[in-house]
Amino acid sequence: MTGLIPKVDYPKRKQPSRCVTVCLGLLCAVLLAGNIGQFVYYEIIIQRTSADPTQAGTNIQGGQSSYDALTAERTQLEARLTNLTQEKHQCQQSYNSLTQKYDQIQSNHKNLTASKDQLLTNQGNLQSEREELQMSMIMLRENRDQLQSNYTSLKSNKDQLQRSYNALNVSKTQLQISYSSLEIDKEQLQTSYNTLQKENDQLQTNSSNLQSEKEELQMSMIMLRENRDQLQSNYSSLESNKDQLQRSYNTMSVSKNLLQISYNSLWRDKEQLQTSCNTLKREKNQLQTNYSSLATDRDLLEKRINKLKGRPCQAGWRKFDISCYFVSNAKKNWTLSRQDCISKGGDLVVIDSKEEQVFLNGILAVRQNAWIGLTDSLEEGTWKWVDGTPATQTFWQPGQPNSFNGNQDCGEIVPKSTGVGEWNDDGCFSEQIWICER
Ligand SMILES: [Ca+2]
Ligand SMILES: [Ca+2]
Ligand SMILES: [Ca+2]
């Protein structure tokens, strides 16, 4: 691994730049010392000249030439100073440039140092990997040796198997021949087996059919036995029924004779009923004739009623519906009152409707009780009108008729200022007004 990255001698690589820097520094110091020396020299000369004016006259000529020489020398020195200044500027520029390069190199050095550290780390890792790989290689070599020995063993086994295979191949050929022979035998046996299978199926079918026939026969036998038992019981039942029927026949014979007698009786009744029916038919025809006659009479009566309704009453009589009414002024007992009405062609009033009751109540004054044609003299408690009809619609006072003292058999009307008026039973001998109707 050391060959992959070449080693760099950084201290050696830094040496040229250091030398250049030192040289430039020394050059600058020399130039500065020259300038200082020249300045000192001129100061001393000027002081000597001003301090000794006597010698000056003598030395003016020599001094003028020295001055010229010094001026020329000064000019040369100034030219050299200018050159040196320019060189110093150039050196300064070079120094700056070198300083920049130095900084650049310094940063590169830092980067390279970091890279080196990284590479060293990588080298360490790679060394450990190499060691692992070496361990693996050792193990692989051991495995290879093991496999080599296994291979040798397998090779010997393979040779042995090859020999066995050859022997088996020979056996296989023999077995192939035997298999072909057995195949032929098997086909023959298969044919025989199929034939036997068909025969077996046929026999199986026959056996099933016979089994079902056997079961059907057994069922038939059981049913026949049951039928026999049923017939046996039916026979016994019929035997008893026959005896019962014989007894019933005897009874029926007696009943038949009785019925014959009843039939004869009924026949006679039927003939009588036929006669009655004929009679009733004749009566019906008669009633029909009567009905027709009554209808004719009804029509005649309606005509007469209409005629009566239009008939005027005599003087002193009042008209209501088809009747005329007479109210007496005199007072008599019930019997004499009735005789008076009969003598006038009518009878005591028969009240046969509420309207008639209202009319009579209206023509009488209050407390003016009057006889009407009502009596129970023929049978106590049975009130009848003078025309013989029973009193159906009545207007009795509460508690009446009471047949007071057992001697009240004649009816009177008791007029009222409100309502329709009431009736009371009174003694027939009492004398009071009466009302006739005709
Ligand atoms: Ca009447
Ligand atoms: Ca009475
Ligand atoms: Ca009474």
Side-chain angles (χ1 to χ4, degrees):
M1 288 305 289
T2 50
L4 291 173
I5 309 286
K7 275 189 176 176
V8 180
D9 195 354
Y10 290 102
K12 276 185 184 176
R13 289 184 71 174
K14 284 181 187 174
Q15 226 160 13
S17 58
R18 281 182 185 169
C19 290
V20 171
T21 309
V22 169
C23 289
L24 285 169
L26 287 171
L27 189 58
C28 289
V30 168
L31 286 170
L32 188 64
N35 282 335
I36 292 166
Q38 198 171 15
F39 176 73
V40 169
Y41 173 74
Y42 280 112
E43 285 292 316
I44 291 166
I45 293 299
I46 287 163
Q47 282 178 358
R48 276 180 187 172
T49 309
S50 58
D52 194 5
T54 57
Q55 283 185 357
T58 62
N59 293 333
I60 283 171
Q61 205 166 4
Q64 188 68 41
S65 61
S66 296
Y67 176 75
D68 291 341
L70 284 168
T71 303
E73 197 177 345
R74 181 187 154 202
T75 307
Q76 283 178 355
L77 283 169
E78 280 178 352
R80 282 179 64 190
L81 178 67
T82 306
N83 288 337
L84 282 169
T85 306
Q86 285 175 353
E87 282 177 6
K88 181 197 158 196
H89 282 306
Q90 284 177 356
C91 283
Q92 188 69 37
Q93 284 173 357
S94 297
Y95 174 74
N96 292 336
S97 170
L98 284 168
T99 305
Q100 283 176 359
K101 280 181 183 175
Y102 172 74
D103 294 340
Q104 183 72 32
I105 285 162
Q106 192 73 27
S107 69
N108 288 342
H109 171 66
K110 283 180 183 171
N111 291 336
L112 284 168
T113 306
S115 297
K116 187 194 113 191
D117 296 341
Q118 182 69 33
L119 284 166
L120 282 172
T121 311
N122 291 341
Q123 188 191 8
N125 292 337
L126 285 166
Q127 273 178 353
S128 64
E129 284 179 6
R130 191 189 71 183
E131 286 168 0
E132 283 178 8
L133 282 167
Q134 277 178 347
M135 286 291 291
S136 298
M137 194 177 72
I138 290 162
M139 284 173 73
L140 282 168
R141 273 180 188 158
E142 287 173 359
N143 285 340
R144 188 194 66 189
D145 296 342
Q146 183 72 30
L147 285 167
Q148 187 69 39
S149 65
N150 288 345
Y151 171 73
T152 310
S153 171
L154 283 168
K155 199 163 194 178
S156 65
N157 284 340
K158 183 205 136 199
D159 295 341
Q160 199 168 352
L161 283 167
Q162 185 68 39
R163 286 193 295 279
S164 299
Y165 172 74
N166 293 336
L168 283 167
N169 221 14
V170 173
S171 298
K172 181 199 140 198
T173 311
Q174 287 177 356
L175 283 166
Q176 186 71 37
I177 294 160
S178 300
Y179 174 74
S180 302
S181 170
L182 284 167
E183 189 78 16
I184 292 159
D185 290 349
K186 184 200 127 192
E187 284 175 359
Q188 287 177 355
L189 283 166
Q190 184 69 39
T191 313
S192 301
Y193 172 75
N194 290 337
T195 309
L196 283 167
Q197 187 72 25
K198 283 177 187 168
E199 287 176 359
N200 179 37
D201 291 344
Q202 186 65 36
L203 284 168
Q204 190 73 30
T205 311
N206 292 341
S207 168
S208 300
N209 289 337
L210 284 168
Q211 188 69 24
S212 60
E213 284 176 7
K214 185 191 129 193
E215 286 172 356
E216 283 178 8
L217 283 168
Q218 278 180 343
M219 287 292 292
S220 300
M221 195 179 75
I222 290 163
M223 284 173 71
L224 281 167
R225 274 180 185 160
E226 285 175 355
N227 284 340
R228 188 197 67 190
D229 295 342
Q230 184 70 33
L231 284 167
Q232 189 72 36
S233 66
N234 287 345
Y235 174 75
S236 303
S237 172
L238 283 168
E239 193 80 16
S240 64
N241 282 343
K242 190 198 103 188
D243 295 342
Q244 196 165 356
L245 283 168
Q246 187 66 41
R247 287 194 295 276
S248 297
Y249 173 76
N250 296 335
T251 310
M252 292 290 282
S253 289
V254 176
S255 296
K256 183 204 141 198
N257 293 332
L258 288 170
L259 282 168
Q260 186 66 43
I261 293 160
S262 296
Y263 174 76
N264 294 336
S265 171
L266 283 168
W267 185 258
R268 285 194 297 274
D269 290 347
K270 182 212 141 193
E271 285 181 343
Q272 284 179 359
L273 284 168
Q274 187 69 41
T275 310
S276 298
C277 179
N278 293 334
T279 307
L280 285 168
K281 275 181 183 173
R282 281 195 298 274
E283 286 178 356
K284 183 198 130 193
N285 291 333
Q286 184 66 39
L287 285 168
Q288 189 70 40
T289 310
N290 289 344
Y291 173 75
S292 301
S293 172
L294 283 169
T296 309
D297 291 348
R298 184 198 64 199
D299 295 341
L300 284 171
L301 280 169
E302 282 180 353
K303 283 178 186 172
R304 284 184 66 187
I305 286 166
N306 291 334
K307 197 175 176 180
L308 284 169
K309 279 183 178 176
R311 179 195 67 171
C313 296
Q314 289 179 338
W317 290 70
R318 292 167 181 265
K319 181 79 180 172
F320 177 73
D321 199 25
I322 59 170
S323 298
C324 296
Y325 299 86
F326 170 81
V327 181
S328 72
N329 290 316
K331 293 184 177 181
K332 292 183 178 176
N333 63 32
W334 187 84
T335 306
L336 290 176
S337 297
R338 190 182 178 199
Q339 280 181 2
D340 179 72
C341 288
I342 291 168
S343 68
K344 285 182 167 65
D347 206 335
L348 281 173
V349 65
V350 175
I351 303 170
D352 44 21
S353 73
K354 187 179 178 182
E355 289 76 16
E356 194 172 15
Q357 170 74 19
V358 170
F359 167 73
L360 295 175
N361 188 62
I363 62 174
L364 293 171
V366 178
R367 298 181 185 279
Q368 196 177 18
N369 296 4
W371 289 123
I372 56 175
L374 191 63
T375 179
D376 70 336
S377 56
L378 291 177
E379 185 182 352
E380 176 61 32
T382 301
W383 290 88
K384 284 190 174 180
W385 294 105
V386 288
D387 60 359
T389 57
T392 50
Q393 187 178 18
T394 60
F395 301 92
W396 293 112
Q397 281 183 324
Q400 303 299 337
N402 60 353
S403 200
F404 185 73
N405 287 332
N407 194 21
Q408 291 185 325
D409 295 335
C410 292
E412 61 175 353
I413 183 169
V414 182
K416 297 285 182 183
S417 59
T418 57
V420 299
E422 293 169 333
W423 296 351
N424 176 41
D425 61 337
D426 202 356
C428 298
F429 50 83
S430 296
E431 290 189 342
Q432 56 190 17
I433 65 168
W434 65 95
I435 304 170
C436 299
E437 179 185 5
R438 71 171 189 177

